[in-house]
Amino acid sequence: MLDYINDITNFLAVASERSFTRAAAKRGVSQSALSHSVRSLESRLGVRLLTRTTRSVAMTEAGERLMRSITPRLAEIEAELAAVSEMSEKVAGTIRITAIDHVVDGVVWPRLEGLLHRYPELKIEIGSEYRLVDIVADRYDIGIRWGDQVEKDMVAVRMTADQPMAIVGSPSYLAEHGVPRTPQDLLRHNCITLRLASSGGLYAWELAHEGRPTEAKVTGQAIFTSVFPMLKAALSGHGLAFLTKDLVLPHVRAGRLKQVMAEWCPSFPGLHAYYTSRRHPTRALTTVIDALREPVADGDVAAQ
């Protein structure tokens, strides 16, 4: 039975990483040992779980089914074992968090770094990803995303007030190309765009005017997959960028950027930390969640 569990855990690591190399590093075993373990599981089940090529690893239909059914059960077992361990009153163990890079830099890490000094047996692992992560399948303890991106079956804790967006450009860019007034004007500008990790398409700017939402399918020469290089490109005069206001405000105040079309820029629902409602929260998890929590601003709706 123990061999079965070890083989299943090894399979899930390969399935999650889509790579024997990365999974072996994550599990702390050799690639040959990992490959032997997965083949042993396939032999016992009498079915192929993974399709291997020289460049990639993909799951078969049987592998997909096993991953979907086993992952939540293992997560529940791990949570219960951790809950029993928590009876020692210690804040210990590893908490894995997924968030967007600038959120990690500006919101998450400043709130959590003090915990590491206070609880030497606590480990915090933070992954910076733009795709919408399935925290159960990818074995994260906490996800941090905008409120409208949180699945309904999750326990969510509001971290920030609603976040206004801003369209910005450098003074030199605006002096040369003019100031846009409408979404139609944006189509004639060089816009700094974001490639979506989930679909691979370009993000259409989500604008609104007098309560009516609209999308601007902008294009431009510079395309990125994260916001920090977008900000740098805007500062360098390469075009207009659509970013959260907290990220651009210091540069607007200093005159390095100018905001345009403010009346077209909506607010996104505030950041929420969330975790699965199916798991019993451990002392380490509740300690991290409490550190991430911020009192709800007046007028905001508290997360359930």
Side-chain angles (χ1 to χ4, degrees):
M1 183 64 180
L2 289 177
D3 288 343
Y4 238 132
I5 293 175
N6 185 61
D7 290 344
I8 289 172
T9 304
N10 285 334
F11 158 72
L12 290 176
V14 177
S16 176
E17 297 293 332
R18 297 293 198 274
S19 164
F20 276 91
T21 301
R22 291 193 297 272
K26 187 175 182 179
R27 296 282 291 159
V29 299
S30 67
Q31 291 186 52
S32 60
L34 194 64
S35 179
H36 176 77
S37 176
V38 173
R39 289 186 186 281
S40 175
L41 178 62
E42 290 176 325
S43 177
R44 291 181 187 183
L45 296 176
V47 65
R48 178 68 64 86
L49 300 173
L50 297 171
T51 300
R52 308 160 178 83
T53 69
T54 56
R55 294 186 177 181
S56 64
V57 175
M59 279 186 289
T60 63
E61 183 179 355
E64 289 276 7
R65 177 175 176 175
L66 183 62
M67 184 176 184
R68 284 197 306 269
S69 62
I70 291 294
T71 298
R73 292 174 171 82
L74 283 181
E76 289 174 5
I77 292 171
E78 289 179 351
E80 288 305 319
L81 290 173
V84 172
S85 177
E86 289 294 311
M87 295 175 69
S88 68
E89 300 297 323
K90 286 185 178 180
V91 176
T94 300
I95 298 297
R96 301 185 69 236
I97 302 171
T98 172
I100 301 170
D101 54 3
H102 77 282
V103 171
V104 173
D105 185 69
V107 180
V108 177
W109 180 242
R111 299 187 188 191
L112 296 185
E113 60 176 331
L115 295 182
L116 302 183
H117 295 295
R118 201 176 314 155
Y119 304 109
E121 295 184 51
L122 174 67
K123 295 181 180 179
I124 298 174
E125 179 181 339
I126 303 176
S128 298
E129 301 184 67
Y130 274 75
R131 65 186 179 93
L132 291 179
V133 174
D134 182 337
I135 63 171
V136 175
D138 289 353
R139 309 189 76 180
Y140 282 103
D141 299 288
I142 300 171
I144 297 174
R145 291 294 187 271
W146 304 112
D148 60 346
Q149 296 176 324
V150 178
E151 296 292 338
K152 300 300 183 184
D153 62 344
M154 294 288 168
V155 179
V157 175
R158 179 180 279 271
M159 295 172 57
T160 69
D162 289 354
Q163 177 61 60
M165 300 297 292
I167 299 173
V168 294
S170 69
S172 61
Y173 174 85
L174 293 170
E176 181 178 353
H177 298 278
V179 176
R181 307 292 181 187
T182 68
Q184 192 66 30
D185 293 342
L186 293 174
L187 304 182
R188 297 189 290 270
H189 275 266
N190 204 2
C191 293
I192 300 162
T193 54
L194 178 71
R195 177 77 67 187
L196 296 172
S198 53
S199 66
L202 296 181
Y203 171 66
W205 292 4
E206 298 172 83
L207 308 177
H209 188 255
E210 297 180 347
R212 295 190 297 273
T214 187
E215 287 190 349
K217 296 182 179 180
V218 300
T219 59
Q221 291 178 285
I223 303 170
F224 299 100
T225 58
S226 62
V227 299
F228 283 129
M230 293 174 66
L231 175 61
K232 289 182 179 178
L235 287 166
S236 300
H238 290 290
L240 301 175
F242 185 56
L243 300 166
T244 55
K245 197 165 184 177
D246 65 329
L247 196 62
V248 303
L249 191 56
H251 302 288
V252 172
R253 287 174 174 168
R256 293 185 291 268
L257 291 173
K258 288 186 177 181
Q259 183 176 359
V260 299
M261 294 177 58
E263 69 278 10
W264 286 91
C265 294
S267 292
F268 285 173
L271 290 169
H272 287 65
Y274 62 93
Y275 57 96
T276 175
S277 58
R278 293 191 295 272
R279 67 173 294 173
H280 177 78
T282 64
R283 189 171 300 278
L285 179 65
T286 56
T287 298
V288 171
I289 288 290
D290 286 344
L292 291 172
R293 187 193 306 267
E294 183 179 47
V296 178
D298 291 342
D300 287 341
V301 179
Q304 299 299 312

